[in-house]
Amino acid sequence: MRAMELDSQKIVIVGGTSGIGLATARLAAAAGATVVVASSSPERLDAALADLPISAEGYELDVRREDEICDLFERIGRFDHLAYTAGESLPLGPIAATDLETARRALEIRFWGAYAAVKHAAPRLRPGGSIVLTSGIASARPQPTWTVASSICGAIEALTRALAVELAPIRVNAVAPGVVRSNLWRDMSEDDRTAMYDSLAQALPARRAGEVDDVAETFLYLMRNGYSTGSVVTIDGGSVLV
């Protein structure tokens, strides 16, 4: 069977104005889909819409507020696929030094935001529709200072499997990226980022750092593949192997 086409479909990307989300929006638009992006930043929203086809739609959204999420999907109406890529830089550090409010905020945006988005999006998905969430390799291979990141990724993967059963026949999957070149690492100095990417290129079996387009391809694969549900697809250049 042929993979499902995205031509003439509508795809909503929460967090679709930067990094992996914007790359997914660009790739989906190039495949013929109408894209809708949502972001908490008006500046990033304007910049993304200037970069996307004129058919693209954009909305301001605070994913910590369920009323805003509900209103967004009421305004959008029926659509075909949801991708949830929203998230700020994850707090890293030993648990003893972790500020709980910062940790809760990260969980609120990445986990509870995704939970609320699925809650209000699912009734509006057309037959054959799908949901793709965002996890990360921190769940499979945590580092000593990744307690918060690992917990969130593990929670998203459990949510993915539970939703795939509960919402069937709507398909629910997740993408688990490794480190990719993106603004997620904007809190690091340029020298530190460059050193991290160079180190990855030496250590990974893929022999290069990942790019946001690599991950975007995986989001579109999961939208197109009508037999994939409850899956977590790792795209990490082989990071979990070394």
Side-chain angles (χ1 to χ4, degrees), residues 50-66:
D51 187 43
L52 293 168
I54 195 168
S55 60
E57 303 172 31
Y59 298 91
E60 259 188 82
L61 176 68
D62 184 346
V63 298
R64 296 169 298 176
R65 297 192 54 173
E66 186 180 0

Side-chain angles (χ1 to χ4, degrees), residues 134-195:
T134 307
S135 174
I137 61 167
S139 65
R141 191 173 184 182
Q143 300 298 313
T145 58
W146 287 14
T147 307
V148 174
S150 299
S151 299
I152 292 171
C153 292
I156 288 290
E157 292 177 13
L159 177 65
T160 297
R161 290 186 286 269
L163 289 173
V165 174
E166 179 177 339
L167 298 181
I170 294 171
R171 296 180 297 105
V172 186
N173 296 288
V175 177
V179 175
V180 298
R181 298 179 192 270
S182 77
N183 61 1
L184 185 66
W185 310 102
R186 60 184 175 271
D187 292 342
M188 297 174 67
S189 70
E190 185 173 351
D191 288 345
D192 286 346
R193 282 198 306 273
T194 299

Side-chain angles (χ1 to χ4, degrees), residues 157-239:
E157 292 177 13
L159 177 65
T160 297
R161 290 186 286 269
L163 289 173
V165 174
E166 179 177 339
L167 298 181
I170 294 171
R171 296 180 297 105
V172 186
N173 296 288
V175 177
V179 175
V180 298
R181 298 179 192 270
S182 77
N183 61 1
L184 185 66
W185 310 102
R186 60 184 175 271
D187 292 342
M188 297 174 67
S189 70
E190 185 173 351
D191 288 345
D192 286 346
R193 282 198 306 273
T194 299
M196 178 177 70
Y197 297 144
D198 289 347
S199 176
L200 279 171
Q202 295 296 320
L204 294 180
R207 292 296 188 266
R208 67 175 178 87
E211 306 291 345
V212 291
D213 286 345
D214 296 322
V215 185
E217 290 277 4
T218 311
F219 274 88
L220 265 64
Y221 159 76
L222 289 170
M223 292 175 194
R224 287 178 166 130
N225 191 319
Y227 200 51
S228 178
T229 192
S231 298
V232 179
V233 178
T234 299
I235 173 97
D236 69 341
S239 179

Side-chain angles (χ1 to χ4, degrees), residues 8-19:
S8 302
Q9 295 198 349
K10 179 179 279 190
I11 298 175
V12 178
I13 305 163
V14 177
T17 60
S18 64

Side-chain angles (χ1 to χ4, degrees), residues 60-187:
E60 259 188 82
L61 176 68
D62 184 346
V63 298
R64 296 169 298 176
R65 297 192 54 173
E66 186 180 0
D67 59 329
E68 290 193 17
I69 292 173
C70 179
D71 180 64
L72 171 69
F73 288 107
E74 285 181 351
R75 292 164 70 185
I76 291 171
R78 301 283 282 173
F79 67 103
D80 298 284
H81 303 282
L82 169 68
Y84 190 93
T85 63
E88 298 178 344
S89 297
L90 284 166
L92 302 177
I95 191 169
T98 299
D99 175 72
L100 288 184
E101 286 306 310
T102 302
R104 287 191 182 104
R105 176 180 167 82
L107 194 69
E108 194 169 12
I109 292 172
R110 288 177 176 265
F111 179 82
W112 289 115
Y115 192 103
V118 172
K119 174 183 174 180
H120 293 286
R124 296 172 173 84
L125 285 171
R126 296 186 182 115
S130 75
I131 295 164
V132 189
L133 306 179
T134 307
S135 174
I137 61 167
S139 65
R141 191 173 184 182
Q143 300 298 313
T145 58
W146 287 14
T147 307
V148 174
S150 299
S151 299
I152 292 171
C153 292
I156 288 290
E157 292 177 13
L159 177 65
T160 297
R161 290 186 286 269
L163 289 173
V165 174
E166 179 177 339
L167 298 181
I170 294 171
R171 296 180 297 105
V172 186
N173 296 288
V175 177
V179 175
V180 298
R181 298 179 192 270
S182 77
N183 61 1
L184 185 66
W185 310 102
R186 60 184 175 271
D187 292 342

